[in-house]
Amino acid sequence: MTAFVLRRSLQSILVLFVMSLIVFAGVNLVGDPVDMLINPEADQQEIERVIKDLGLDRPVTEQYWYFLVNAFQGDLGKSFVFGEPALKLIVQRMPATFELALFSLLIAVVFGIPLGIYAGLKPASKVSRTIMAGSILGFSMPTFWVGIILIMFFSVHLGWLPSTGRGDVATVFGITSSIFTLDGLSHIFLPAFNLALFKLSSVIRLARAGTREIILQDYIKFARAKGLSEKRVINVHLLKNILIPIVTVIGLEFGSLIAFSTVTETVFAWPGMGKLIIEAIYNLDRPIIVAYLMIIVLIFVTLNLIVDITYSLLDPRVRIKGEG
Amino acid sequence: MPPILEVKNLQTHFFTKAGVLKAVDGVSFEIGAGEIIGLVGESGSGKSITGFSILGLVDEPGRVVGGQILFKGQDLTTLAPADMQKMRGSRIAMIFQDPMMTLNPVLRIETQMIEAIQTHDSSVGKDEARQRSRDALGLVGISSPEERMRAYPHQFSGGMRQRVSIAIAMLNRPDLIIADEPTTALDVTIQGQVIHEMQKLCKKTKTALLWITHDLAVVAGISNRICVMYAGRVVEQGPNEALIGNPMHPYTNGLLGSVPSQNRRGEPLQQIEGIVPSLLNLPVGCAFENRCGNALAECRQSAPDEVTMDDQRVLRCFNRVK
Amino acid sequence: MAQGSTGGQITAGQQAGSQAGWRKLWSDYSESPLAVAALFVFATILFIAIFAPFVSPTDPYDLATVDIMNSRLAPGSEDFAGNLYILGTDGAGRDMLSSIFYGLRVSLGVGALSGLIALIVGAILGLSAAYFGGRYETIIMRIVDIQLSFPSILMALVILAIFGKGVEKTIIALILVQWAYYARAARASALVEKNKEYVEAAKCLALGDRRIILNHITPNCMAPLIVVGTLQTAHAISLEATLSFLGLGLPITEPSLGLLIGNGFEYMYTGDYWISIFPGIALLITIVSINLVGDQLRDMFNPRLQR
């Protein structure tokens, strides 16, 4: 197990390294780094100073080395707009985004797995057909448009829930989050549901496909032949088997939730890093863009690592192979 | 002594889009305590569906549509689902064909054994259940059961897994075990061991055994009575020696002819020409008529009824082998 | 009747020899009434998009006909001149219905063009990777794997962040996002075809690599590529709409559906729902109909489901 974790960690570091190379190349080689990294409003003197600071007058390999060293020390440049370190700005907004993404994931899992299992157990029933039709819609509807519809219906028309911003936060067990206050919950519900819809559809599909496959297996029949209750057969024997692919996908989808939160955060004016990056792209605030990319890559690589390890914990077959 | 299980005119049909498939159509037999009955037939003869019908585990779109399954005098076909569930695994257990597929790959052996005990008797504590599971594993010949209980199914060989499922089936001391081709997927040497093991266990615990197989040779060696099924019906049943020594139905005769035997050394093996008719569209007459060497004109017009012979044999045939 | 006419469209222009093949294809396809309806809807949308200038009641971008006095008219209202606005007007007084027709044109055009180029690029790379194998294949497929592990929206944002916005840049971004899907599908089916006897035979005839790939392997890999193409085009249209909504995709001079929705977003809170909702419904119908067609094609070509 330790060897497995170690090997996967090394692989992750390698990917991280490669991605830093790509981001560096994207920013420094595709465009003119002077344009990209220096505030367009700076005067000539300032430009020269920054060129020296960033080492843009040095050979490319040396530049990359400095980029790496600086990045490793958490220095990814200063925002042109805010005049503050880019990394700090992003880290400040990270909790809001993570909170939104986690809450969405929760919605997707809590509703998606039972609905998917139901649709898999009774594929011909009307309810199941409705569930599946809903999941096709969930796949097809662009996130931003669903967001608009939610705002129109729940905020403008019914006036039940607020449509913009993050609500009050409270700290429980050292975790500061808006889900601990009523105001916070009312603010997070719409954006989280919006973000969750796409994942909900894919969790439903996965759970349904898994259920339909597993339910035909002999070990399910054997479990029933042992006299187990239908509840135990489904909650233990079936669920544990369909969870394996679902956990893998959910883990990887968490990354895409973070990516798609750019859209949801913009629609709902949610003060997270997704809204920040969209604004940075508008304002050509390159250091923020670079910092965001590096952070996102780090998140993805870490997620992949966690997923692989969880997967091996869930599926004894993989775990044993990893040991051997 | 009254029999443990009496199956009377059982009918299990599948309501498919293509029509009604009569997988089991009027099967009757009985099993006494501690008896071993061989239920023999080729695939599609309805032998496995008969087994699942007894357990109340027929998959959609199948249904038991007629007949009685009397277990210790109680009709299982009219039992409420919750009561039937209590019956399964405690009074009637089942062992499946493929040991690679019958144990849940993501649960420890221990979990799968303990749940089988606790689901039927919640007063049993975890430690006691574990103790009983360990003893059961020891009984079926698994060495160092203590450690093996913590293992996952894929860490066992095929023969060992089948022993585990036998141990699970025996856990609650059932009165009847339905074994659906329990040795078919095993190597020949292991087959012998498992057969021997099961015979020994059943004798010791007075458990009745319904052994479902396509291989007449397997049950010929161990069973008290043999039922031969063809196209959803029992065509011939009787005491082991009578049926093997003096088959009366042409189908039984054909099956025996296709088994290598010492008595007919050097003679070519026979085979039964033709295929089983579609269960969706069975003929009015005898289902075996189109493959039968003894067929008469009347075999086409009506299906023979069951006739009880003097040697406790039940036969469905107009023109038996003489 | 709808069935007959759409069937006619499919067989039209085909040689008599392949008529039977197309008929079989159609009879497989028409097994699902929903898929037939979706195809009909999509054909209608395509027609509207192509002939937008002729089917639109007004030209929404002709300044001479647009009057700011008519801004934000509710659906079904008439202006002083007696012109009917079935879906109302937007903030600048443009007829929504006409804007949507023109928007469909832009959205479908960008989606189809980027999809087509991505298909060609992806198919070439995927097929050649499968055919030549070795290190070339490893490198291409590794790039595909890494790219596909990142969500498409993120890839598109990165590309637009580096290159800036604009029509060509949006199309480039969509191509770069999509090619990997085609490459993966092309390689997977080419790997199967590669080992079949007819390829072996072609090699024995000493045919050139290019000829074997183009004339022998490619035609047999078309089915999965068409399926991926249909579903990807829907995805590209959705992605373009998202980017344009965010103001990072197409410029204001090329108003796609996404841009129309974005424009209407600000009127949302005042209750002028139609400016945002109707373009959204048009977008949704487009995407759903393409997805349904794609799903049916996938089921048709899936060998595992073949009866």
Side-chain angles (χ1 to χ4, degrees):
Chain A
M1 193 68 201
T2 334
F4 173 72
V5 172
L6 209 69
R7 201 175 58 225
R8 284 292 293 111
S9 306
L10 278 177
Q11 277 171 10
S12 306
I13 291 170
L14 190 73
V15 172
L16 211 57
F17 177 76
V18 171
M19 291 312 284
S20 77
L21 201 67
I22 291 173
V23 170
F24 176 81
V27 175
N28 291 275
L29 303 179
V30 174
D32 182 355
V34 178
D35 274 358
M36 292 205 147
L37 293 173
I38 298 173
N39 195 335
E41 280 148 37
D43 58 16
Q44 193 57 36
Q45 219 176 357
E46 169 79 2
I47 289 176
E48 268 162 31
R49 193 184 60 74
V50 178
I51 287 180
K52 241 196 167 78
D53 262 14
L54 294 173
L56 294 179
D57 48 350
R58 309 236 183 85
V60 177
T61 43
E62 212 174 303
Q63 284 183 40
Y64 176 61
W65 173 248
Y66 279 114
F67 171 75
L68 265 192
V69 171
N70 285 338
F72 204 69
Q73 292 167 344
D75 178 7
L76 290 165
K78 267 187 183 175
S79 159
F80 302 151
V81 177
F82 299 92
E84 283 186 74
L87 197 61
K88 186 182 148 205
L89 287 166
I90 289 176
V91 170
Q92 271 174 359
R93 284 160 177 76
M94 220 187 249
T97 296
F98 270 64
E99 172 186 281
L100 185 64
L102 280 173
F103 198 72
S104 306
L105 202 60
L106 193 74
I107 293 178
V109 171
V110 168
F111 292 100
I113 292 181
L115 288 174
I117 291 180
Y118 184 89
L121 289 176
K122 300 195 167 113
S125 80
K126 277 219 172 74
V127 179
S128 301
R129 283 171 197 274
T130 314
I131 293 172
M132 293 323 288
S135 97
I136 291 180
L137 264 188
F139 261 123
S140 299
M141 289 194 286
T143 307
F144 73 96
W145 193 66
V146 177
I148 293 176
I149 298 291
L150 288 176
I151 291 180
M152 189 190 84
F153 195 69
F154 290 101
S155 303
V156 179
H157 184 68
L158 295 174
W160 286 355
L161 294 165
S163 65
T164 53
R166 194 181 180 204
D168 298 337
V169 295
T171 304
V172 176
F173 300 124
I175 301 166
T176 304
S177 169
S178 61
I179 63 167
F180 300 125
T181 69
L182 209 58
D183 180 56
L185 267 181
S186 74
H187 276 86
I188 200 173
F189 188 77
L190 283 186
F193 182 69
N194 179 209
L195 193 54
L197 205 60
F198 193 81
K199 302 304 150 204
L200 184 65
S201 304
S202 58
V203 171
I204 287 178
R205 283 192 170 203
L206 278 169
R208 176 175 177 268
T211 303
R212 293 197 65 176
E213 192 191 319
I214 302 291
I215 206 75
L216 298 174
Q217 300 291 321
D218 271 357
Y219 55 77
I220 295 294
K221 218 162 192 190
F222 188 62
R224 287 190 176 135
K226 285 198 291 189
L228 300 185
S229 64
E230 202 55 21
K231 206 172 112 194
R232 179 149 178 111
V233 171
I234 288 167
N235 291 353
V236 178
H237 287 256
L238 175 77
L239 191 64
K240 262 215 157 186
N241 278 287
I242 64 167
L243 268 187
I244 295 169
I246 293 179
V247 164
T248 320
V249 174
I250 283 175
L252 298 172
E253 302 258 300
F254 185 73
S256 84
L257 277 177
I258 304 244
F260 269 98
S261 71
T262 50
V263 179
T264 298
E265 286 178 13
T266 306
V267 173
F268 289 89
W270 186 262
M273 56 194 236
K275 187 162 169 284
L276 182 73
I277 174 76
I278 297 289
E279 283 163 1
I281 296 176
Y282 276 132
N283 302 330
L284 299 176
D285 199 345
R286 310 279 182 196
I288 297 259
I289 298 173
V290 171
Y292 180 83
L293 288 184
M294 289 313 294
I295 293 277
I296 277 283
V297 170
L298 184 68
I299 291 173
F300 266 87
V301 168
T302 316
L303 275 175
N304 269 311
L305 184 64
I306 294 173
V307 166
D308 276 7
I309 294 171
T310 322
Y311 188 95
S312 76
L313 285 177
L314 275 177
D315 192 341
R317 287 164 293 190
V318 178
R319 185 162 72 224
I320 306 299
K321 227 162 65 191
E323 278 168 4
Chain B
M1 205 163 76
I4 286 282
L5 181 80
E6 284 175 86
V7 175
K8 288 184 179 170
N9 196 25
L10 177 69
Q11 288 174 303
T12 305
H13 295 176
F14 284 73
F15 298 87
T16 66
K17 274 185 195 150
V20 178
L21 193 148
K22 296 176 178 170
V24 178
D25 198 22
V27 165
S28 306
F29 61 89
E30 36 180 85
I31 309 178
E35 251 190 337
I36 299 179
I37 302 287
L39 190 57
V40 184
E42 50 198 303
S43 46
S45 62
K47 57 189 194 305
S48 294
I49 303 298
T50 305
F52 286 123
S53 301
I54 296 169
L55 271 180
L57 283 179
V58 180
D59 282 326
E60 289 284 309
R63 257 198 336 262
V64 174
V65 291
Q68 285 180 310
I69 302 169
L70 298 176
F71 180 73
K72 292 179 165 175
Q74 191 177 19
D75 189 358
L76 300 183
T77 59
T78 58
L79 220 53
D83 295 326
M84 191 62 223
Q85 184 195 319
K86 281 185 198 130
M87 207 62 101
R88 282 197 285 271
S90 67
R91 306 305 356 120
I92 310 174
M94 188 157 182
I95 300 167
F96 289 62
Q97 174 172 3
D98 189 349
M100 297 298 184
M101 301 301 298
T102 44
L103 298 172
N104 196 321
V106 299
L107 298 174
R108 290 180 199 280
I109 298 297
E110 181 180 57
T111 317
Q112 304 193 40
M113 297 190 83
I114 291 172
E115 68 178 6
I117 296 174
Q118 289 188 327
T119 192
H120 292 293
D121 187 354
S122 50
S123 69
V124 179
K126 208 156 193 185
D127 290 331
E128 194 193 333
R130 187 174 289 123
Q131 177 71 40
R132 270 171 61 184
S133 307
R134 193 168 46 218
D135 295 346
L137 284 181
L139 215 61
V140 293
I142 286 180
S143 49
S144 54
E146 183 71 50
E147 296 161 40
R148 302 301 269 163
M149 283 198 23
R150 302 279 303 158
Y152 287 94
H154 68 273
Q155 291 164 289
F156 287 79
S157 68
M160 281 297 149
R161 279 194 223 189
Q162 197 59 301
R163 283 164 197 261
V164 172
S165 28
I166 293 168
I168 292 178
M170 305 288 282
L171 271 176
N172 294 311
R173 299 271 159 138
D175 302 306
L176 171 67
I177 293 182
I178 299 168
D180 187 1
E181 306 247 8
T183 57
T184 309
L186 303 178
D187 288 344
V188 180
T189 45
I190 298 173
Q191 241 181 50
Q193 290 174 19
V194 170
I195 291 171
H196 176 72
E197 207 86 57
M198 287 208 60
Q199 201 181 3
K200 204 173 71 190
L201 285 170
C202 287
K203 199 168 269 173
K204 205 159 110 189
T205 55
K206 282 255 185 254
T207 308
L209 188 60
L210 177 63
W211 191 296
I212 300 170
T213 180
H214 66 274
D215 190 351
L216 195 52
V218 167
V219 284
I222 57 167
S223 58
N224 304 91
R225 284 174 73 85
I226 293 176
C227 303
V228 179
M229 277 190 79
Y230 187 82
R233 285 182 176 157
V234 175
V235 291
E236 180 172 15
Q237 63 173 303
N240 193 338
E241 304 74 36
L243 197 125
I244 299 290
N246 178 24
M248 288 188 182
H249 197 282
Y251 180 61
T252 319
N253 195 37
L255 280 182
L256 281 168
S258 63
V259 178
S261 156
Q262 284 202 337
N263 310 337
R264 297 185 314 251
R265 191 171 292 212
E267 291 173 34
L269 290 176
Q270 298 166 18
Q271 58 176 17
I272 307 172
E273 300 282 343
I275 52 160
V276 189
S278 161
L279 294 175
L280 281 171
N281 197 10
L282 285 172
V284 198
C286 174
F288 190 60
E289 182 269 337
N290 63 337
R291 302 169 75 184
C292 184
N294 284 13
L296 305 171
E298 61 176 319
C299 298
R300 256 175 191 279
Q301 280 137 23
S302 63
D305 283 327
E306 295 195 327
V307 178
T308 310
M309 320 293 279
D310 344 332
D311 57 354
Q312 289 183 307
R313 180 195 314 244
V314 182
L315 185 68
R316 272 183 199 266
C317 189
F318 290 129
N319 188 22
R320 65 184 182 88
V321 180
K322 286 170 182 127
Chain C
M1 260 352 263
Q3 278 198 14
S5 67
T6 345
Q9 274 176 15
I10 279 189
T11 50
Q14 291 306 311
Q15 290 162 359
S18 64
Q19 285 259 337
W22 284 99
R23 213 163 270 156
K24 164 94 174 67
L25 220 55
W26 174 246
S27 84
D28 280 355
Y29 184 88
S30 57
E31 259 180 28
S32 154
L34 185 66
V36 174
L39 188 65
F40 183 73
V41 169
F42 178 66
T44 312
I45 291 173
L46 203 62
F47 179 83
I48 291 173
I50 293 172
F51 298 104
F54 305 102
V55 293
S56 301
T58 64
D59 178 354
Y61 303 105
D62 179 5
L63 292 176
T65 62
V66 175
D67 189 345
I68 192 77
M69 291 297 288
N70 295 334
S71 78
R72 294 158 65 186
L73 291 177
S77 42
E78 289 180 10
D79 64 9
F80 295 116
N83 297 316
L84 175 67
Y85 298 100
I86 300 169
L87 298 183
T89 61
D90 70 3
R94 286 185 286 252
D95 175 34
M96 280 314 297
L97 187 66
S98 309
S99 300
I100 288 172
F101 284 179
Y102 277 78
L104 274 173
R105 191 182 164 92
V106 176
S107 288
L108 280 177
V110 168
L113 185 63
S114 66
L116 193 66
I117 300 176
L119 175 106
I120 294 169
V121 173
I124 290 174
L125 288 171
L127 290 171
S128 57
Y131 186 76
F132 295 114
R135 183 163 297 174
Y136 175 72
E137 181 184 22
T138 313
I139 292 173
I140 288 187
M141 294 326 288
R142 210 17 75 82
I143 296 174
V144 167
D145 285 345
I146 291 180
Q147 186 175 333
L148 290 183
S149 71
F150 289 91
S152 49
I153 179 92
L154 198 67
M155 293 295 305
L157 284 178
V158 169
I159 294 160
L160 291 174
I162 292 174
F163 293 110
K165 68 188 232 177
V167 180
E168 324 80 64
K169 283 155 189 164
T170 306
I171 292 177
I172 291 174
L174 291 176
I175 294 169
L176 287 174
V177 165
Q178 292 182 81
W179 75 273
Y181 292 94
Y182 292 105
R184 191 173 58 177
R187 172 175 169 268
S189 49
L191 277 182
V192 177
E193 295 301 324
K194 185 183 151 187
N195 294 318
K196 290 199 177 155
E197 277 176 32
Y198 72 91
V199 174
E200 213 53 46
K203 277 185 184 161
C204 291
L205 290 173
L207 298 181
D209 288 337
R210 207 170 66 131
R211 186 153 165 204
I212 295 178
I213 295 179
L214 278 182
N215 295 357
H216 296 262
I217 297 182
T218 311
N220 289 297
C221 298
M222 279 323 280
L225 281 177
I226 290 172
V227 174
V228 173
T230 324
L231 297 174
Q232 273 305 309
T233 304
H235 186 209
I237 292 173
S238 171
L239 189 57
E240 178 272 314
T242 305
L243 295 170
S244 298
F245 168 80
L246 291 172
L248 304 173
L250 298 180
I252 220 100
T253 50
E254 298 291 338
S256 74
L257 292 175
L259 211 65
L260 293 180
I261 299 169
N263 285 342
F265 187 40
E266 50 184 302
Y267 299 109
M268 200 81 230
Y269 295 96
T270 55
D272 300 340
Y273 65 91
W274 62 90
I275 307 178
S276 216
I277 295 305
F278 290 139
I281 291 174
L283 178 65
L284 185 65
I285 293 174
T286 309
I287 295 172
V288 171
S289 65
I290 300 179
N291 274 341
L292 287 175
V293 171
D295 273 347
Q296 179 69 3
L297 290 177
R298 184 177 53 199
D299 289 351
M300 271 167 64
F301 293 138
N302 188 345
R304 285 204 295 173
L305 291 178
Q306 233 141 55
R307 296 132 296 213

